[in-house]
Amino acid sequence: MSELRERTTVLLVDDCAEHRVALRKVLASAYEVIEAADGNEALQMTETYFTQLAAILLDEGMPGIDGLDVLQIMQSKGWLNNIPVFLVTEEESDETMARGYELGVADILVRPLKPEVVKRRVANMVELYRHRFELERVVLEQTARIREQEERLRQTNKSIMEALSAAIEFRNCDSGFHVRRIRQVTRLLLLDVMEHYPEYGLTQEQTDAISELSIMHDIGKIAVPENILTKDGRLTADEFERMKAHTIYGGELVRHITFPQGERVQRYFYEICRHHHERWDGEGYPDGLKGEEIPIWVQAVSIADVYEALVSRRVYKPAYAAEEAVRMILEGECGAFNPKILASLRRVAVRLIAEVSGEAAEEPPEERPKARVAAPAEPAAASPVQEEKESGQRSEAQTLFLLEQEKYRIIAELSEDMVFTYNQLFDSMEFSEKFCRVFQVPAYISEYSKYRPSARTFYPEEYEALIQCRNRLTWAVPEMEMDLRLPLPDGTRPWFHLVLHVILDHRDRTRELGYVGKLTNINRIKREATECQKRANTDALTQLYNRAGAHILFEELLLEGKNTHTPLTVAFMDIDHFKSLNDTMGHEAGDQILTAFGQSIRRLFRPDDIVSRFGGDEFLVVMKNMGDPTFVREKLKQLCRQHLQIACAREPLEISCSIGVAFYPKDGQEFDDLLRKADQALYQSKRAGRGQVSFYTPPKKLS
């Protein structure tokens, strides 16, 4: 958005040219002035010149879309927050003023306008908006600086904790990325607990804090002798007791640390350090806590600690594969855990494996057991070299795809879009939080091919278009977009914009690994576009189609007629002596005559016939399958002489109209050509005495 001080344009909106000229003279010396003659034009120009407008002067009493209607649309689009709008009205009505201020108008000007007053009030309001924007800009800059300082402080604290934790692990012969993996796994588990188990009351703030603290869970190992930490072999009973004491040492050490975030964070830290070796069945240490006595965040750190121990090489064991480590925990081979935290582990397993797959490659392959989650390995079926090669290829493909999944997951969390990701390697579908909330589906579906939505979920033509676009996706064109209507649990079918991106194996471009999709609700945009289109194509007085609307609909009928050979009848008419009626009875009576005449035309014809006020007292009717001249004449003659009841006259008025008719395809193939010939036939009716129906007759050729 441009700064307001750079905006120098004022938009004048008034259907009266004299009013616009007067205001232009007042404001032209200080601003560049542009003009709009009605509400539709005002909306179009506001959207076009939005970043240049310093103010808008909007007439309240325009025909069609009046000033208050324009204000309401501007308010719905959020424009009034950035541009001061002055409502210009003929009278100081309490109702008008209340409605205007309710819609967000900056000020109200009442005619007759005094030039100096207008000039000063516009200048004051523009300056007020400039000061407000400048203040908002300063606040945003200061807020950004504060956040930057907070982030630097947080990163400093994080670095200190990582350095201390790495120093502890260095004594245990582990590298720094091992402790960071504890944080990653803890965070994944807690995010899932937060989503699926609201009874624990976890918040995003708690999850972030606990994930950072988790890397310090073994801080008590500072007090454990190095010969025990690095012993190459099984510990004796006494040595094991000394090792177990690191939980007590860690808890006592934390008691003496003051945390800027308060006692609650200190409590999290203490519980993590002291209780991360407790077990669900009470068989853990040091206090033998059981079940829900163990805080849920400690249970998450316990799972992360066990998982990390399994996938890391130790002096007493090789590193297990990530898939095998998950299986061992889920099947109870590493002690008892809360069934809920195990369910969370099962849901995040794919993403968790992606977190460590790149790092696990640093372990010597020959030292890792070859194991699979789905079934035990069969060494006789393949040589160790071949199996290792295949495993590496699978791991690389999975890593590429899962890292891509993680990127889109983060984007989904930061946006309001509904994101879904399909992993073909695992036949699993994962949905963002908003997607689950809107469509009421689970966040993760395994064996998704069994639950794919059927064609009944979609409208047939949209489903066919979706399948065609989906089948055309390739390495060269991996992304598609389309609008479609999808069913919600409440039974509605709003419009959504779908973006789908297929992910292919970079080594085999014909092999699909899955896809990532995004849905955006565009129902309001579609509805507003339809309403705006309808207003743009509708005559404000008679509510019939205007000239532009009639032209659009005629082209659709013409296309249909060319394909199906459907004849069309074009009838062009105007009210006889309308100018005289308008001058004698007044403009209000003239408007009522036009409205009543338009209603009588609309009642006479079918809903799918085009009935339009073409301009002034001219009307247009287009009929399908009406090629019989006799029938057309009899039907149209009902309009030639009629009595109209209007509010301005006590007695019904006798009105006549002249009508000219042209036929498609006999008299012409295009809209303008048929209209011109119907107009020529109309003047034949005028010359023949008015109040008649005439058909277009081609001019006689000279012999």
Side-chain angles (χ1 to χ4, degrees), residues 6-21:
E6 299 172 355
R7 302 184 178 199
T8 58
T9 302
V10 170
L11 172 61
L12 306 179
V13 185
D14 200 314
D15 62 317
C16 177
E18 293 178 359
H19 291 166
R20 297 199 304 272
V21 169

Side-chain angles (χ1 to χ4, degrees), residues 61-353:
M62 296 181 295
I65 303 180
D66 64 17
L68 293 175
D69 291 334
V70 174
L71 264 180
Q72 189 165 8
I73 295 171
M74 287 181 170
Q75 183 196 51
S76 70
K77 294 178 176 291
W79 292 347
L80 301 183
N81 297 326
N82 303 299
I83 306 172
V85 177
F86 295 81
L87 187 65
V88 183
T89 181
E90 296 290 342
E91 56 182 15
E92 200 168 353
S93 161
D94 291 342
E95 181 181 354
T96 298
M97 296 182 75
R99 181 62 176 150
Y101 285 122
E102 178 187 342
L103 290 173
V105 71
D107 199 356
I108 295 178
L109 303 173
V110 182
R111 291 195 175 95
L113 302 177
K114 296 181 180 180
E116 273 307 312
V117 173
V118 171
K119 189 173 182 179
R120 177 52 56 192
R121 287 170 74 172
V122 170
N124 289 344
M125 189 59 68
V126 169
E127 191 62 28
L128 179 63
Y129 266 63
R130 284 174 177 165
H131 282 302
R132 194 193 82 187
F133 272 80
E134 182 65 21
L135 180 60
E136 289 178 357
R137 184 186 63 80
V138 171
V139 169
L140 287 173
E141 288 179 355
Q142 291 177 346
T143 302
R145 282 198 295 269
I146 291 171
R147 287 178 177 171
E148 185 180 350
Q149 291 170 358
E150 289 178 348
E151 179 62 19
R152 282 202 299 265
L153 180 60
R154 193 184 73 83
Q155 290 295 335
T156 300
N157 292 337
K158 179 179 174 181
S159 299
I160 292 172
M161 292 179 67
E162 285 187 355
L164 179 57
S165 185
I168 295 167
E169 294 298 327
F170 181 74
R171 296 183 69 236
N172 202 29
C173 300
D174 283 328
S175 57
F177 66 74
H178 291 293
V179 295
R180 291 194 292 274
R181 285 208 302 249
I182 292 286
R183 176 176 58 213
Q184 293 169 320
V185 177
T186 301
R187 182 174 183 276
L188 287 174
L189 290 171
L190 290 180
L191 285 174
D192 188 86
V193 169
M194 185 173 69
E195 179 181 354
H196 291 90
Y197 305 113
E199 61 268 26
Y200 289 114
L202 277 177
T203 66
Q204 186 67 52
E205 182 183 3
Q206 285 176 289
T207 296
D208 292 341
I210 292 165
S211 300
E212 294 299 331
L213 294 171
S214 66
I215 67 173
M216 299 287 287
H217 67 287
D218 275 340
I219 191 173
K221 287 184 178 179
I222 288 177
V224 177
E226 187 170 353
N227 65 306
I228 295 177
L229 288 174
T230 60
K231 183 177 180 180
D232 188 6
R234 187 177 295 275
L235 299 179
T236 66
D238 181 62
E239 290 170 339
F240 185 55
E241 290 301 318
R242 295 286 299 276
M243 175 66 81
K244 287 164 58 178
H246 80 274
T247 56
I248 299 173
Y249 300 150
E252 291 304 313
L253 180 61
V254 171
R255 285 185 186 276
H256 297 89
I257 300 176
T258 301
F259 288 83
Q261 301 95 327
E263 294 182 1
R264 187 176 61 171
V265 173
Q266 185 182 47
R267 178 169 62 87
Y268 296 153
F269 199 0
Y270 172 82
E271 291 171 342
I272 288 170
C273 291
R274 185 173 180 94
H275 299 308
H276 65 278
H277 282 291
E278 304 285 359
R279 290 293 177 266
W280 185 253
D281 56 5
E283 296 298 319
Y285 62 86
D287 300 315
L289 299 183
K290 185 176 182 180
E292 296 291 357
E293 294 175 350
I294 311 168
I296 190 64
W297 47 84
V298 176
Q299 298 177 41
V301 176
S302 298
I303 290 276
D305 189 32
V306 171
Y307 175 83
E308 167 58 27
L310 290 171
V311 299
S312 300
R313 185 173 66 250
R314 294 286 191 256
V315 294
Y316 53 85
K317 75 166 191 66
Y320 288 94
E323 295 91 340
E324 177 69 358
V326 171
R327 184 198 63 77
M328 292 171 69
I329 297 172
L330 292 175
E331 294 184 4
E333 296 181 20
C334 305
F337 293 97
N338 183 345
K340 292 180 180 178
I341 205 76
L342 290 177
S344 290
L345 174 62
R346 187 174 290 107
R347 281 189 291 268
V348 304
V350 172
R351 196 181 306 159
L352 183 150
I353 292 168

Side-chain angles (χ1 to χ4, degrees), residues 195-196 429-431 436 440-445:
E195 179 181 354
H196 291 90
M429 179 69 82
E430 188 170 359
F431 302 101
C436 298
Q440 295 183 11
V441 296
Y444 183 84
I445 298 178

